[in-house]
Amino acid sequence: MTHSILSTLRLGGLALLLAGCASPQNNYDPIEPVNRGVFWFNRAVDRTVVRPVTQTYVDYAPGPVKDGTSNFFSNVDDLFGSVAALFQGKFGEASTSAGRVIVNTTFGMFGLFDWGTRMGLNKGNADFGQTLGHWGVGSGPYLMVPFYGPMTLRDSADPLVRLSWGPIDYIDPLAGQIAYYGIYLVDARSKLLPLDAMLDTQLDPYAYLRDAYLQARWNKVYDGQPPHPLQLGEPDDDDVASAAPTASNASGVAAEAASASSVAEALTPAAASIPASAPDAATP
């Protein structure tokens, strides 16, 4: 999914809020040694190939080209988001996202221009991993995927759906498919460049990204109102509990989770790895 660029001040504030959030042991991460190896592999590829290419794109591509590219992939995201929202019973969000697709695909020249936002059709953020969580499916183990980044077993539903039924099905030559994902990769990575320095300053960037990601996804499944904080170091799977949030604890939990959500949504997937398709962030 498309990620908004955070300002320098906001980055600094979120870094302070999340300092020390990484847990040395995490019950969602049963294959941590393998995941860490993949994490550093992704980082190496990113630093040697993806980041330099992306920085060149940011520095030299004309503004209208960058805007049109981001709008196009955002339009694709709205298409899948409308279906994911519908499956969660969020009919208002589903209709708004569908309306954005219709407006931006027609008047916006296949999504190159975002007329939907100008017409007051706000962008949604539903995905299929969130949909499964909404219906009580547990997150499963945390995974660091080569050339992609962080996800949980449940969250793999989103990129798999997009890969199976996305625009790639209508691009026949292999060269065209490679070009499609290559452009997506550069566009998604360009939005994460401001976060590189923050991740590099962490004592354990792997644990920092992992824990922020899991908290963000836990928060997203409950639409910002989780019933209790996610217990990353406990042996129980909090995600399986689907009790509704109570008035006494919802506001405090939501505020705590929102800070992690902002960072993880921005970091996922390309700040520590390389995205292979177009998922927004992903969830316990």
Side-chain angles (χ1 to χ4, degrees), residues 1 3 148-150 184 188 192 209 264-277 279-281:
M1 291 185 182
H3 302 274
Y148 183 90
Y184 166 75
L192 306 173
L209 176 62
E265 289 284 338
L267 287 173
T268 308
S273 56
I274 303 170
S277 62
D280 174 359

Side-chain angles (χ1 to χ4, degrees), residues 163-184:
L163 184 63
S164 300
W165 289 287
I168 200 71
D169 287 342
Y170 303 97
I171 304 175
D172 291 330
L174 178 61
Q177 297 177 6
I178 294 174
Y180 176 87
Y181 280 113
I183 295 171
Y184 166 75

